[in-house]
């Protein structure tokens, strides 16, 4: 839908404007074509799908759950209450504006929609790529439509002067001589409402700091949008603000945050105070990572494990089926046990005498 019409435009229409007017017109079309295809591929390959998942194994605490944590968790964000829902597939509490996609099997942060044309979810990490794709495709569509119609009009005016024809006859002759320009004009006119309309719609969403999912559900209809920062602030927040690294690799179900060796702040404060977290489901969900010295918990027997219907998981990975247990502690030293050596005891008795 993009590559073939663009190639035909370069051969028939772009070459006409390069020879008659300026080479900048086909160069502009080439840049829009390359940008559109690149952003299309970048958006489609930006969010990996979750391959294997389970509803009972918690990657953060390295244990198999016997029961689920509480379903909802209430938080206050910018003076507005939010309910964080626990996702049984991803084993996380979904942040605000996060939704689980049943097609990609991922919890997508700032979920906009699942695009069937790209075969991928549009969310916080790739929305700017999708916005660029929609914008460049809309601009390319308008360029193809305008230049194709202009070529037909120029050819019709030349034929009218040379052959002394009327406007209708001259335009008919132009359609016959520039048939490819006519086909491209009809094709561009048929899809311009979709490409340019989609571009205008997403610009309106950015101006109001909404997602397609929130706008369709009416999440902020009749209420104040707590994420609205003004038009310029919304454009900067959505399209220009930096995107943090991934929390986890969805395809391999591996955590990427916190980095190896890093301990969460809450846990650091508890360790400094000499406190320990109770081993409950709520405490496990508050922690991002369990220290390395925590004892390992063997998984549940195979007959007690329940697999979600439709899940691709059938067998446990080797590292989960045979977890590495804690290394044995070294034997206590003489100072820790309170037993003194014979030399130290002899010297003590001599000093007492």
């Amino acid at each position: 839908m993009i590559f073939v019409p663009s190639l035909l435009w370069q051969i028939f229409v772009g070459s006409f404007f390069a020879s008659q007017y300026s080479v900048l017109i086909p160069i502009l079309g080439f840049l829009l074509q390359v940008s559109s295809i690149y952003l299309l591929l970048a958006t489609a390959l930006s969010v990996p799908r979750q391959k294997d998942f389970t509803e009972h194994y918690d990657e953060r605490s390295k244990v198999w759950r016997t029961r689920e944590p509480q379903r909802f968790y209430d938080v206050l964000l910018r003076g507005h209450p939010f309910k964080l829902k626990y996702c049984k597939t991803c084993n996380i509490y979904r942040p605000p504006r996060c939704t689980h996609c049943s097609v990609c099997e991922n919890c997508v942060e700032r979920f906009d929609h699942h695009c069937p044309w790209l075969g991928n979810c549009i969310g916080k990490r790739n929305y700017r790529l999708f916005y660029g794709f929609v914008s460049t495709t809309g601009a390319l569509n308008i360029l193809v439509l305008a230049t194709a119609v202009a070529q037909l009009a120029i050819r019709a005016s030349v034929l009218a002067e040379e052959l002394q024809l009327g406007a209708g006859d001259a335009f008919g002759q132009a359609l016959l001589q520039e048939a490819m320009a006519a086909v491209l004009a009809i094709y561009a006119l048929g899809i311009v409402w979709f490409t340019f309309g989609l571009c205008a719609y997403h610009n309106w969403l950015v101006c109001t700091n909404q997602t397609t999912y929130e706008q369709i559900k009416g999440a902020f209809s009749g209420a104040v949008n707590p994420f609205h920062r003004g038009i310029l602030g919304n454009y900067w927040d959505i399209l220009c603000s930096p995107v943090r690294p991934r929390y986890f690799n969805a395809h391999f179900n591996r955590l990427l945050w916190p980095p190896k060796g890093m301990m969460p702040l809450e846990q650091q404060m508890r360790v400094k105070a000499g406190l320990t977290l109770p081993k409950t489901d709520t405490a496990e969900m508050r922690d991002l990572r369990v220290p390395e010295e925590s004892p390992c918990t063997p998984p549940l027997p195979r007959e007690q494990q329940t697999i979600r219907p439709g899940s691709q998981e059938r067998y446990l990975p080797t590292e989960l089926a045979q977890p590495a247990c804690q290394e044995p502690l070294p034997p206590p030293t003489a100072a820790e046990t309170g037993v003194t050596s014979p030399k130290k005891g002899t010297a003590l008795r001599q000093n007492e005498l």
Side-chain angles (χ1 to χ4, degrees):
M1 295 179 65
I2 299 176
F3 178 75
V4 175
S6 300
L7 183 61
L8 295 176
W9 181 88
Q10 286 286 354
I11 296 174
F12 294 96
V13 181
S15 60
F16 170 79
F17 280 94
S19 60
Q20 298 293 329
Y21 296 96
S22 174
V23 74
L24 295 178
I25 297 177
I27 291 178
L28 175 61
F30 175 77
L31 294 177
L32 289 175
Q33 294 159 11
V34 172
S35 301
S36 177
I37 295 175
Y38 169 76
L39 292 170
L40 167 67
L41 297 176
T43 307
L45 302 175
S46 56
V47 179
R49 297 190 178 190
Q50 190 167 189
K51 183 179 180 182
D52 297 323
F53 56 87
T54 174
E55 297 180 355
H56 295 275
Y57 182 72
D58 187 359
E59 179 69 20
R60 282 157 295 280
S61 57
K62 307 294 183 182
V63 297
W64 288 85
R65 294 188 180 278
T66 57
R67 62 185 181 88
E68 296 178 6
Q70 61 184 30
R71 188 63 170 165
F72 295 96
Y73 192 81
D74 295 325
V75 296
L76 193 66
L77 178 62
R78 297 176 184 173
H80 296 265
F82 284 89
K83 281 186 175 294
L84 306 186
K85 187 177 181 181
Y86 182 75
C87 179
K88 298 187 295 183
T89 302
C90 301
N91 287 318
I92 61 171
Y93 280 101
R94 300 172 190 164
R97 315 183 85 178
C98 179
T99 303
H100 186 88
C101 177
S102 59
V103 179
C104 297
E105 287 295 355
N106 281 335
C107 280
V108 181
E109 193 172 3
R110 200 182 181 277
F111 176 80
D112 190 86
H113 68 286
H114 181 86
C115 182
W117 299 97
L118 301 177
N120 201 357
C121 278
I122 308 302
K124 182 177 182 179
R125 303 193 63 83
N126 62 353
Y127 184 80
R128 63 187 64 184
L129 298 175
F130 177 77
Y131 178 86
F133 164 69
V134 170
S135 301
T136 54
T137 304
L140 177 62
N141 194 355
I142 293 177
L143 177 66
V144 171
L145 177 61
T147 52
V149 172
Q151 183 181 4
L152 292 175
I154 293 171
R155 179 64 66 182
S157 63
V158 172
L159 291 175
E161 293 179 0
E162 293 179 350
L163 303 178
Q164 299 298 321
L165 298 176
D169 295 336
F171 188 74
Q173 291 293 327
L175 290 177
L176 295 177
Q177 294 184 10
E178 304 293 344
M180 186 55 64
V183 172
L184 289 174
I186 295 173
Y187 174 78
L189 182 63
I191 64 173
V192 68
W193 66 271
F194 175 73
T195 57
F196 185 75
L198 190 63
C199 178
Y201 172 70
H202 278 277
N203 274 280
W204 175 73
L205 290 179
V206 173
C207 289
T208 57
N209 205 328
Q210 293 186 87
T211 64
T212 304
Y213 184 77
E214 293 170 345
Q215 191 271 329
I216 293 177
K217 289 187 63 178
F220 304 119
S221 59
V224 178
N225 184 355
F227 304 101
H228 184 66
R229 293 183 173 90
I231 295 179
L232 296 180
N234 292 336
Y235 270 95
W236 175 264
D237 178 45
I238 297 173
L239 303 178
C240 302
S241 60
V243 179
R244 50 156 180 76
R246 298 182 186 275
Y247 284 148
F248 65 97
N249 188 323
H251 185 69
F252 296 101
N253 198 19
R254 296 175 183 172
L255 284 178
L256 302 178
W257 182 266
K260 188 176 181 180
M262 179 179 177
M263 186 180 294
L265 179 60
E266 179 185 357
Q267 202 167 359
Q268 293 178 14
M269 297 175 63
R270 289 179 174 270
V271 170
K272 290 181 180 179
L275 302 176
T276 58
L277 284 175
K279 296 301 179 183
T280 61
D281 287 343
T282 305
E284 290 169 4
M285 289 309 302
R286 286 202 310 267
D287 289 342
L288 295 176
R289 182 173 179 269
V290 175
E292 297 295 336
E293 61 269 18
S294 62
C296 63
T297 304
L300 294 176
R302 172 63 64 178
E303 56 273 8
Q304 297 183 13
Q305 300 172 14
T306 57
I307 305 299
R308 172 179 171 178
S311 172
Q312 299 179 9
E313 181 177 356
R314 292 295 179 267
Y315 302 98
L316 289 175
T318 305
E319 60 270 16
L320 299 183
Q322 298 177 354
C325 295
Q326 185 178 7
E327 297 181 359
L329 296 175
T333 61
E336 294 176 349
T337 56
V339 179
T340 58
S341 61
K343 292 183 179 180
K344 291 183 179 181
T346 305
L348 180 60
R349 287 194 297 272
Q350 290 177 359
N351 291 335
E352 291 177 353
L353 295 175

